Amino acid sequence: MLEQIKSTAAYIQSKVSLQPEIGIILGTGLGGLVKEINIKHVIPYEEIPNFPVSTVEGHSGKLIFGELGGKNVVAMQGRFHYYEGYTMQQVAFPVRVMKFLGIQKLFVSNASGGVNPDFSIGDLMIINDHINLFPSNPLIGQNIAELGPRFPDMSEAYSKELIAKAKKVAAANNIKVQEGVYAGLTGPTFETPAEYKYVHATGADAVGMSTVPEIIAARHMSIPCFAMSIITDLGVPGKIVEVTHKDVQEVAALAEKKMTLIMKELMKLI
Ligand code: HPA
């Protein structure tokens, strides 16, 4: 595994001269941030040795290198989900490669269902903690000591400093943001009303099918993380209606501008 990570990073470095400081994982409908990147190199996933290839509708797979908010970044356009059949290790693989490319921070976005009754469709939520409801963990198996410890600390999975800065950016731009706990579970089904109730009872404010594996892999390697979610539907009793992938993408597209602005301005502050 370590050899694969290193050889993939070496391949990328042979193609790209830019040294990224920040890694970004772009989630559902959040292509807007890409338009803000001053792009220097693009590598399709299928050209990258050992990289899984994205299969899900609405996610194209490319690694984008460029400059955003004065920082050199590498952005994953298209991420790997556990529900596609990848192992947790495969889902986490690109984050590990990005570490070897030199990233010092990881920014992640996603779409989720709100289970906090105070939330509305279209809200942005800064993720301040998570609950791993996947049946697995990317760190299961022999520990790779060169990446991090056997038992990594998760007391600050999401950087308090980055959260505080993002809140300042949001306030300065009159953007309303919620803050809360993201529960990650496998999907691909959306939740039943009973499952939404269960997720809320665990202490979560929103639920989605990504992010948790990547954050775990990043924290294993001590990378400070920042993540934001677009609340695309509600799993709140009395407000539950049928939800489709299209609905999720449409709501995400509406909130895209606000999310993009926060991410870009935050980039300038670090
Ligand atoms: N549940 C799980 N994942 C999601 C949801 C949801 O309601 N909305 C967007 N992603």
Side-chain angles (χ1 to χ4, degrees):
M1 170 74 92
L2 185 61
E3 284 317 306
Q4 285 188 330
I5 298 164
K6 285 183 174 174
S7 76
T8 301
Y11 170 84
I12 293 168
Q13 279 164 335
S14 76
K15 302 273 167 197
V16 177
S17 51
L18 176 146
Q19 147 105 47
E21 303 157 68
I22 294 170
I24 307 171
I25 304 176
L26 304 161
T28 307
L30 301 171
L33 199 57
V34 171
K35 291 179 214 129
E36 302 287 328
I37 301 175
N38 177 9
I39 298 176
K40 301 278 167 61
H41 300 273
V42 177
I43 313 183
Y45 290 163
E46 57 267 25
E47 289 178 14
I48 306 175
N50 306 315
F51 241 57
V53 174
S54 189
T55 62
V56 75
E57 206 185 318
H59 297 257
S60 58
K62 291 185 198 91
L63 216 46
I64 296 169
F65 292 84
E67 190 257 333
L68 176 68
K71 300 284 184 306
N72 284 338
V73 302
V74 51
M76 288 179 66
Q77 189 178 48
R79 59 139 62 95
F80 303 102
H81 301 87
Y82 188 70
Y83 63 72
E84 293 176 83
Y86 300 114
T87 62
M88 290 297 252
Q89 284 80 6
Q90 285 175 306
V91 172
F93 185 79
V95 177
R96 291 173 157 172
V97 171
M98 289 195 281
K99 167 78 178 178
F100 280 83
L101 296 178
I103 68 160
Q104 284 149 35
K105 290 192 173 54
L106 180 67
F107 284 31
V108 182
S109 65
N110 63 42
S112 65
V115 293
N116 181 326
D118 298 333
F119 287 4
S120 306
I121 290 176
D123 277 356
L124 294 180
M125 183 184 93
I126 293 175
I127 300 177
N128 61 18
D129 205 347
H130 76 217
I131 301 174
N132 180 15
L133 295 180
F134 287 84
S136 191
N137 184 306
L139 307 184
I140 286 176
Q142 194 175 21
N143 184 51
I144 306 173
E146 203 176 317
L147 300 183
R150 171 73 290 188
F151 301 107
D153 172 68
M154 287 296 275
S155 64
E156 194 179 332
Y158 299 83
S159 161
K160 289 196 175 97
E161 190 188 327
L162 292 174
I163 291 171
K165 285 184 173 151
K167 281 159 81 172
K168 276 194 191 140
V169 168
N173 290 281
N174 282 316
I175 298 172
K176 176 186 152 198
V177 283
Q178 307 281 11
E179 196 180 329
V181 175
Y182 174 92
L185 40 66
T186 70
T189 45
F190 292 114
E191 290 65 37
T192 65
E195 287 165 346
Y196 280 125
K197 197 171 164 188
Y198 160 81
V199 168
H200 190 225
T202 66
D205 298 290
V207 56
M209 308 172 193
S210 68
T211 303
V212 167
E214 296 104 313
I215 298 294
I216 290 173
R219 293 305 298 145
H220 182 224
M221 302 180 293
S222 302
I223 299 172
C225 297
F226 176 75
M228 277 185 91
S229 193
I230 297 176
I231 306 298
T232 56
D233 53 275
L234 294 175
V236 172
K239 294 188 180 168
I240 297 173
V241 293
E242 190 181 329
V243 52
T244 65
H245 185 54
K246 189 162 170 275
D247 300 330
V248 166
Q249 290 193 308
E250 281 171 5
V251 176
L254 292 177
E256 188 173 294
K257 265 208 175 107
K258 291 185 285 180
M259 168 95 86
T260 303
L261 193 142
I262 293 173
M263 291 280 191
K264 190 177 158 187
E265 293 301 312
L266 180 57
M267 212 67 74
K268 292 180 189 164
L269 291 182
I270 57 178

